[in-house]
Amino acid sequence: MIEAIGLSKYYGSFAATRDVSFKIFAGEVVAFLGPNGAGKSTTMKLLTGYLSPSEGSAQIAGYNMSKDRIEGSKHLGYLPENGPLYPDMNPRSLLEFFGTARGMDRAHLANRIEAVVDMCDLGAVIGKPVGKLSKGYRQRVGMAQALLHEPDVLIMDEPTGGLDPNQIAEVRRMITNLGKDHTILLSTHIMQEVDAMCSRVLFISEGRLRMDKSIKELTDEGEPLDVVFHKLSGEALEESLQTKKTAVAM
Ligand code: ADP
């Protein structure tokens, strides 16, 4: 359902991602882990078609996101890192705007807005500008926008980032529910989140995919996830220091 095929993205000579490949199958909920600056957001933007790759390709539900983005986007809901844009719009006008842009007819859109407002509990803030809402509410507006057109694939960039513990619990509950009938890739820093919601983990650092394992494989290996995470982060840091030392020596 989600496939990265040799995805690289260069900014000048700097590679934000390098030859990243993985496949996520229907019904999986997969965690995307890695230190800050590892390339998670970039990979997610390449998968959604928001960025075009320097090399490689991305597929959503079998559609190449460079060539068939409109068809692929019908299957895809994307929650960007900092929630929805357009701070002056209120949640209702924002949802109407996105629904219309997606070509949804009026009656269907009205029904779907009602459904996502209810699902994301936005009733109390429906008329307030998005820019004036708390981070928790903004995140929920982003979620409502991602779910509006009933996609079967969800890509969520730090869905619990910057939320307080109550809001985190709420968003986790929502994602766990969505995981029953959606294919999901979500990025996070929180290890408990991975254990609670995901069946597989992808780990990226310095733009390269370092690990792709199921939670079962990791559990069978007997190492707690946070230990694995620190080890992989440490290895990546060591490797980068070595590369810099070699470059200086030359
Ligand atoms: P993560 O989401 O894992 O924190 P990002 O994908 O946001 O990481 O960034 C990966 C790397 O690419 C970082 O070093 C970041 O500074 C760099 N980067 C991201 N976007 C740009 C850009 N538009 N121009 C230059 N460098 C960028």
Side-chain angles (χ1 to χ4, degrees):
M1 281 305 257
I2 304 177
E3 189 169 6
I5 309 157
L7 282 178
S8 299
K9 180 71 186 176
Y10 295 99
Y11 292 108
S13 60
F14 174 76
T17 68
R18 276 182 282 187
D19 197 20
V20 170
S21 296
F22 55 79
K23 265 188 195 181
I24 298 176
F25 299 97
E28 283 192 292
V29 179
V30 176
F32 202 21
L33 296 180
N36 275 335
K40 302 182 292 298
S41 293
T42 304
T43 306
M44 288 179 146
K45 285 179 193 155
L46 293 169
L47 288 170
T48 57
Y50 277 73
L51 277 179
S52 47
S54 310
E55 287 159 5
S57 61
Q59 291 205 353
I60 299 290
Y63 294 100
N64 181 312
M65 293 306 277
S66 301
K67 295 185 190 138
D68 288 319
R69 185 172 166 195
I70 292 179
E71 282 310 306
S73 295
K74 290 181 184 165
H75 292 266
L76 174 68
Y78 172 45
L79 178 73
E81 194 175 0
N82 294 313
L85 299 171
Y86 309 113
D88 296 331
M89 282 189 181
N90 65 42
R92 180 178 299 286
S93 49
L94 191 106
L95 292 168
E96 280 169 355
F97 172 77
F98 278 99
T100 307
R102 284 187 176 276
M104 295 168 78
D105 75 57
R106 281 175 75 88
H108 180 49
L109 178 56
N111 283 337
R112 283 303 300 157
I113 290 179
E114 209 173 304
V116 294
V117 164
D118 186 42
M119 197 187 302
C120 303
D121 205 6
L122 290 173
V125 298
I126 194 73
K128 293 189 181 163
V130 171
K132 298 272 181 256
L133 301 180
S134 67
K135 171 87 184 170
Y137 268 119
R138 278 205 308 268
Q139 203 69 333
R140 284 197 236 168
V141 176
M143 202 76 104
Q145 180 196 320
L147 295 170
L148 186 63
H149 55 298
E150 296 178 276
D152 39 0
V153 179
L154 294 171
I155 293 185
M156 297 189 269
D157 199 347
E158 301 240 6
T160 56
L163 302 186
D164 70 33
N166 284 335
Q167 294 168 331
I168 289 180
E170 225 171 89
V171 170
R172 272 192 211 161
R173 252 197 309 277
M174 195 187 243
I175 295 174
T176 306
N177 264 333
L178 289 168
K180 291 176 191 159
D181 51 5
H182 291 78
T183 305
I184 301 180
L185 175 65
L186 64 97
S187 66
T188 178
H189 283 111
I190 308 174
M191 295 304 130
Q192 298 91 309
E193 210 139 82
V194 180
D195 269 339
M197 299 188 293
C198 305
S199 55
R200 187 146 68 93
V201 178
L202 303 173
F203 185 95
I204 188 170
S205 68
E206 309 239 308
R208 287 186 192 278
L209 192 70
R210 309 269 171 179
M211 190 187 81
D212 176 354
K213 282 190 182 173
S214 68
I215 296 286
K216 180 165 183 337
E217 276 175 281
L218 286 165
T219 313
D220 289 349
E221 287 167 11
E223 252 183 327
L225 200 51
D226 52 345
V227 175
V228 175
F229 181 85
H230 287 302
K231 213 158 139 186
L232 283 167
S233 306
E235 277 167 18
L237 183 65
E238 183 61 25
E239 199 174 291
S240 132
L241 289 174
Q242 284 302 340
T243 313
K244 281 177 190 143
K245 269 188 208 160
T246 315
V248 170
M250 284 166 42

